[in-house]
Amino acid sequence: LNVEKTLADSPINISDTHLNLCTVYSELKKHKEAQFHIKMAIRHLQLELFGRVLGTFEDPTEVEMKNDSVEEGRVITYGVALFNLAVQLEFLGKWEQSMDSYDKASTFARFHNLPEQIRQTIKNARTAAYPKLQRKISKEKNIVHVREQREMALTISRARTPMSKKRLQTASKAKRSPSNITVDIEAKLRQWSMYDKASRK
């Protein structure tokens, strides 16, 4: 890759090198590395097609091409790169990101009328992946919801426990306070006094 960067006269060579490396790493089941290279390929292709790197939530179909002289082959390469990113994200278990990339690849392929074979490949892969991705996303959300509920219950329990102990301690102190002891003694003295007077009569 370093040699390729040195020899490259344009981003085209760099993006193609990253695409090739993505393929190699994916075949070796090193999907983290494959994801890195496909993201780099997309970055360079965006510079080539749009003149800048697009934001995460930008729709490439809503961004104007840099100029009218962009080769159709490079547009096709970008659509394929978006599709490859979706595949790598799926391998890595990044379900929502994968779904988003499948959507972008499918939309881009239709919008730019990419060759039928490529459009159909992306469509079929997206259709096959969607049920699995939706199940995984739903499961993750349920897990997060259950975890949040448990954390909330634990927080409430922790908040209540000190209060109960504090009340018990306060009640215990109140029973032993000098004022209460004095009141009890005075009450007993009054009772004794009344008893004493009665006995004298």
Side-chain angles (χ1 to χ4, degrees), residues 3-67:
V3 173
E4 181 68 27
K5 283 183 177 178
T6 303
L7 297 175
D9 294 323
S10 73
I12 295 177
N13 291 328
I14 299 175
S15 59
D16 287 351
T17 299
H18 281 297
L19 281 166
N20 291 334
L21 285 169
C22 171
T23 302
V24 171
Y25 278 117
S26 185
E27 289 177 354
L28 293 172
K29 301 187 185 304
K30 294 185 176 182
H31 300 292
K32 190 174 181 180
E33 290 82 356
Q35 177 198 215
F36 169 78
H37 285 291
I38 196 61
K39 282 187 172 181
M40 290 301 295
I42 288 171
R43 182 184 181 89
H44 285 288
L45 283 163
Q46 287 175 348
L47 289 171
E48 183 184 341
L49 299 177
F50 308 110
R52 64 182 178 87
V53 177
L54 304 187
T56 304
F57 300 105
E58 278 191 281
D59 185 344
T61 61
E62 297 177 357
V63 181
E64 290 186 12
M65 295 284 183
K66 186 169 63 173
N67 52 56

Side-chain angles (χ1 to χ4, degrees), residues 52-161:
R52 64 182 178 87
V53 177
L54 304 187
T56 304
F57 300 105
E58 278 191 281
D59 185 344
T61 61
E62 297 177 357
V63 181
E64 290 186 12
M65 295 284 183
K66 186 169 63 173
N67 52 56
D68 297 332
S69 62
V70 173
E71 294 180 11
E72 183 183 357
R74 306 311 292 167
V75 176
I76 294 172
T77 300
Y78 184 68
V80 172
L82 290 174
F83 169 68
N84 285 340
L85 176 60
V87 173
Q88 297 309 317
L89 290 168
E90 185 179 355
F91 274 122
L92 293 170
K94 298 180 179 181
W95 316 119
E96 289 194 65
Q97 293 180 45
S98 176
M99 183 179 285
D100 181 62
S101 291
Y102 273 120
D103 288 342
K104 283 183 178 178
S106 181
T107 302
F108 188 85
R110 290 196 310 271
F111 184 81
H112 289 283
N113 197 30
L114 300 190
E116 175 64 24
Q117 185 179 357
I118 293 175
R119 280 188 286 123
Q120 199 61 40
T121 298
I122 294 173
K123 180 182 178 181
N124 291 343
R126 178 179 176 273
T127 301
Y130 241 64
K132 172 190 172 183
L133 295 175
Q134 287 175 327
R135 285 196 305 272
K136 295 288 186 180
I137 291 169
S138 178
K139 184 178 179 181
E140 278 190 351
K141 286 182 178 179
N142 287 336
I143 291 171
V144 170
H145 178 70
V146 170
R147 189 183 297 126
E148 288 176 347
Q149 291 294 317
R150 286 178 179 173
E151 289 175 355
M152 186 181 295
L154 187 59
T155 302
I156 293 171
S157 176
R158 286 174 178 172
R160 285 177 176 174
T161 302

